[in-house]
Amino acid sequence: MQLLKYSKYFFVLSAVILIFGVLCLAIFGLRLGIDFKGGTVTELKFTQEVQSSSIQAVLNEQGLNNAQVQSTDNQGYIIRTETLEKDRYDEIAAAITEQVGEFEEVRFESIGPVIGQQLTRQAFYQLILVSLGIVFYIAYAFRRVSRPVSAWQFGLTAIVALVHDLLVVLGVFAILGKFGGVEVDSMFVTAMLTVLGFSVHDTIIVFDRIRENLKVYAGQSIEFIVNHSLSQTLVRSLNTSLTVLFVLAALLLFGGETIKYFVLALFIGIIAGTYSSIFIASPLLVRWQNWRVGRR
């Protein structure tokens, strides 16, 4: 199977997706949830059937035009608003009871803007530390591979694939935030870290086979070795990813609103990670190695 023969098409496809995603991210940005910008989240469970539009109408009357109402299971609703003091919340709760119906308060949480900024910084540091850890781990694991491909080439190529996967997910959520009002929260950061782990897992499977074949087929061209390695690992990678995607698809359909976008981020990230491990990381390794040889 000569997958590398089509590598330029894979690069062009990824470039188009990434450029579009980065532009959307730069223009729209991410719609930050209360975990990052501060605010109040309230979960209510009504004793009778109500419509989210009725709750939204009450919130608008109370001057909370930017409030978001999200339905959950069994007549439950999650309401995200600006930061509310207890007295102000009691006024709104009384208005909802009077105009919509009786409810049980499941939770009421407020996060200040200072805490939100701290969480934003921590999320950024987490992503940076994980990426650096992956580079050093791969460089160490592949340290005995010195000819013709260096260990650092494996590590840095894997990071390029990881950045590709992150930008795909971020671009999609920038679009969803602009046109669908989807916010990113701490669960989204958890999803991104999970995507990083899964993506590098797929990439290491392919790279490990390349490492073995560099010894078995010493003297052969790098194109032959990488092509052969991809042929050996392709079915395994696809089977692993498809198994996970089937589970995530079931969660998207039946898992409820509270984890919907967490699962969606995982779903998109795993598709992007599987694609980049096979069609981006390995061809990029070949292009880099050929450039090094040509430079010599």
Side-chain angles (χ1 to χ4, degrees), residues 79-123:
I79 302 172
R80 292 179 172 87
T81 66
E82 61 192 38
T83 303
L84 300 175
E85 299 296 334
K86 185 61 177 173
D87 292 342
R88 176 67 172 141
Y89 167 74
D90 290 339
E91 292 177 11
I92 296 169
I96 292 175
T97 302
E98 180 182 347
Q99 300 182 42
V100 180
E102 297 287 338
F103 63 82
E104 174 191 352
E105 181 186 304
V106 179
R107 66 174 160 141
F108 174 78
E109 298 174 353
S110 290
I111 298 176
V114 174
I115 296 176
Q117 292 173 5
Q118 290 175 350
L119 288 174
T120 303
R121 286 195 299 270
Q122 288 173 2

Side-chain angles (χ1 to χ4, degrees), residues 47-280:
T47 56
Q48 71 280 347
E49 185 175 347
V50 300
Q51 300 297 321
S52 61
S53 56
S54 302
I55 303 172
Q56 189 72 59
V58 175
L59 296 174
N60 291 342
E61 288 178 7
Q62 295 291 323
L64 299 173
N65 297 318
N66 294 326
Q68 291 188 339
V69 181
Q70 180 182 2
S71 62
T72 60
D73 297 330
N74 300 321
Q75 289 304 309
Y77 289 90
I78 295 175
I79 302 172
R80 292 179 172 87
T81 66
E82 61 192 38
T83 303
L84 300 175
E85 299 296 334
K86 185 61 177 173
D87 292 342
R88 176 67 172 141
Y89 167 74
D90 290 339
E91 292 177 11
I92 296 169
I96 292 175
T97 302
E98 180 182 347
Q99 300 182 42
V100 180
E102 297 287 338
F103 63 82
E104 174 191 352
E105 181 186 304
V106 179
R107 66 174 160 141
F108 174 78
E109 298 174 353
S110 290
I111 298 176
V114 174
I115 296 176
Q117 292 173 5
Q118 290 175 350
L119 288 174
T120 303
R121 286 195 299 270
Q122 288 173 2
F124 177 76
Y125 294 151
Q126 285 171 359
L127 292 173
I128 295 297
L129 287 174
V130 168
S131 300
L132 289 174
I134 288 170
V135 170
F136 286 113
Y137 168 73
I138 294 178
Y140 177 79
F142 288 70
R143 66 192 183 281
R144 299 187 185 278
V145 181
S146 57
R147 294 181 182 178
V149 184
S150 73
W152 288 106
Q153 282 179 268
F154 283 106
L156 294 176
T157 304
I159 287 298
V160 171
L162 292 181
V163 172
H164 168 279
D165 303 339
L166 291 180
L167 288 177
V168 169
V169 180
L170 290 172
V172 170
F173 271 78
I175 296 170
L176 291 175
K178 175 65 176 178
F179 299 105
V182 177
E183 296 183 340
V184 299
D185 53 16
S186 56
M187 289 288 285
F188 178 78
V189 177
T190 304
M192 296 294 280
L193 293 173
T194 306
V195 167
L196 284 178
F198 194 93
S199 177
V200 78
H201 165 267
D202 254 3
T203 305
I204 285 178
I205 288 175
V206 179
F207 280 4
D208 194 54
R209 186 55 56 92
I210 293 173
R211 176 180 64 175
E212 293 173 0
N213 287 335
L214 283 171
K215 300 174 184 177
V216 175
Y217 298 99
Q220 293 281 359
S221 68
I222 187 66
E223 288 89 351
F224 170 83
I225 292 171
V226 172
N227 256 321
H228 188 60
S229 301
L230 287 173
S231 299
Q232 291 176 315
T233 57
L234 182 63
V235 174
R236 177 184 174 183
S237 296
L238 291 178
N239 285 341
T240 302
S241 298
L242 285 173
T243 302
V244 177
L245 289 174
F246 287 146
V247 175
L248 292 176
L251 288 174
L252 272 176
L253 293 174
F254 309 111
E257 289 290 329
T258 53
I259 61 170
K260 178 180 179 180
Y261 295 110
F262 168 74
V263 175
L264 180 61
L266 288 177
F267 193 88
I268 296 168
I270 287 175
I271 291 176
T274 304
Y275 169 81
S276 67
S277 298
I278 299 171
F279 302 115
I280 299 299

